[in-house]
Amino acid sequence: MNTKKERTLQLTLNVVGILMFMGVLIRWWTAPFSVSRDLQIYYNQGFQMTLNERKEFLAFVLCAASVYFSLVNVYFLGKTGRRLVYTVLVLFAVFSLYMMLTLLAVATH
């Protein structure tokens, strides 16, 4: 049974997630714009994403958003949901450390 406080927190986290991922998607259009040394904004064609980069970027954002919203909403299902979310976060942390060490080992050889 969700209390009003939990529902408000869940709604807040969902709204923050929507704003956050909308901000990430805005990068799609704002990346080619740069600021020169004399503070003039100009369009840099070299920063424009290719079609393949756009597909990869969109896939990354959609996957990250689905993980975020899934974890936020599972967290509020109860005690089991909280345990599941904490377990997933610990696994993400361990995997990130493993990948960091693997990439460091590859880069130094």
Side-chain angles (χ1 to χ4, degrees):
M1 185 161 57
N2 288 343
T3 64
K4 187 175 181 178
K5 192 175 193 180
E6 286 178 336
R7 301 280 294 159
T8 304
L9 181 59
Q10 183 179 10
L11 177 67
T12 302
L13 290 173
N14 282 321
V15 169
V16 166
I18 290 169
L19 294 174
M20 179 175 59
F21 287 108
M22 282 176 52
V24 170
L25 284 175
I26 288 173
R27 183 206 176 276
W28 186 317
W29 293 279
T30 61
F33 294 99
S34 299
V35 178
S36 66
R37 290 186 180 183
D38 56 344
L39 300 178
Q40 298 294 321
I41 296 176
Y42 66 97
Y43 183 79
N44 189 341
Q45 189 68 25
F47 291 151
Q48 184 68 35
M49 286 192 274
T50 64
L51 181 62
N52 193 35
E53 289 172 335
R54 288 180 184 181
K55 287 179 185 178
E56 291 174 0
F57 180 69
L58 189 59
F60 168 76
V61 171
L62 291 177
C63 288
S66 65
V67 168
Y68 174 82
F69 289 112
S70 296
L71 288 176
V72 164
N73 291 305
V74 166
Y75 180 84
F76 290 99
L77 291 179
K79 204 171 205 178
T80 306
R82 285 183 175 88
R83 283 189 190 141
L84 180 64
V85 169
Y86 290 138
T87 303
V88 169
L89 291 176
V90 167
L91 290 174
F92 277 155
V94 169
F95 180 72
S96 294
L97 288 172
Y98 169 74
M99 288 305 296
M100 179 189 68
L101 295 174
T102 303
L103 291 171
L104 183 63
V106 169
T108 57
H109 283 59

